[in-house]
Amino acid sequence: MGTMIAVLTATRSLLTSLDPLPYSVRMSRLVEWARAAPDRVQVCRDLREQGPYERHLALVAAMATRDAEGVAAAARDPQPSIRGAALTAALRADIPIGDITDRSAMERRRVYRSLRRRYAPAAADALISEVRAEFGDEEAATLLPACGDDTVRALLPDLEHALRLERLVRWHEGPLLERVRERLAAAPPELRARIWAEAAAAVLRCDPAQALDLLERYAPEESLPGPLDAYGRLAAHDPVRVARLLTTPGRAAWLRRNVLPPALLRRLAVLPTDELVPLTSRFREHSRALAALLDAVAPARRADLYDRALSEVDTAMLIPAAEIMEVLPAAVRIREATRVLSLAKIQEREAEVRLWSAYLAWPDASAALDVALRSGDADERAHGYALLVQAARRSRDPRGGGGDGRAARPAAQRAGRCSPRTRQPGSRS
């Protein structure tokens, strides 16, 4: 009886000392007490017989001292929050959690999540057969990433239909790639697209060399599987192989429908011009994609790349898109603008002449726009000033476009007050 009174007194003393403290300070003080108190076991046992707050304190003390008995007791607590925290602590400390089939679905998911994060294959291997027998393939699949390689190899063929394969990448890249390779090798070409639809996102996150091997052997002839954003890391590993995958003849139509992501373009841009020409040629009729690729390479290389991309095209009547003109080096931009201005269908329309004149060198551009700047029509003047500012910007002269900049400064000031939308090459007047 005297011992019981002493324990109750120690418990009250602990609670009284903790009550006025802020939560973080209270938990720190509790941990200090638990590691030093000689009567911790008795006080925690007393706390576990009281309300949720006191039982939570007992769990924190047990976790701080790695008290397996205390954590196991909390894992059977009637309060879900305490029980869940105790389950996580037990898994981290390799403390048995008992029969998992007696746990609620929420607690089982917590167990699987903890095992996946911590990667405790021995514990997961011991549970998965029982989980599958009791709760089916869907639940077993959520536990599979936490298992060991041998278990994954054995069960993946049966559980892959219920599993997001990306979950295996972190711990089981080897078994995952082996299984995907096995499936692709056994499937006829017409069925491989379905396999890639399931596995591409995971494969593209695996070892780049092995992912490229699978793509070169088994990728669909008319496209590449998975999101194009994921090919950036493959290109960082081997841009030559990725460029060749993109430029396979059968994928030309697919490639024209897509714009390569900036990260992928930056990694491909390191290739020699000879390696980039096939890719650039694929984009001849896709101006936005061609402009993005030209913009990714160094300015000194753009002229040669642009000319070689169009080497097999009759450019006599070609009118480049605005986005392409903006990324061309000055000499090529002026050459193309001069060629377009010589076309009869351009000369017949004053608006088109002004538009393309703005791509010329600054002296020629400002002279060509002079008539528009002096027009009695307000809209025409505003359009002329907007084109003049664009020409000054393209000149890249910090003084405002050739000479002393006296023409560009008032142009910028007036264009700020007159800002109708400037037409782009290829738009209708």
Side-chain angles (χ1 to χ4, degrees), residues 115-133:
L115 290 174
R116 289 196 304 267
R117 289 176 177 172
R118 182 170 169 263
Y119 189 52
D125 288 348
L127 289 175
I128 193 164
S129 296
E130 184 180 8
V131 168
R132 187 182 183 196

Side-chain angles (χ1 to χ4, degrees), residues 22-38:
Y23 181 80
S24 59
V25 178
R26 186 186 312 167
M27 293 299 104
S28 298
R29 186 70 58 82
L30 175 62
V31 169
E32 293 173 2
W33 169 86
R35 290 172 176 170

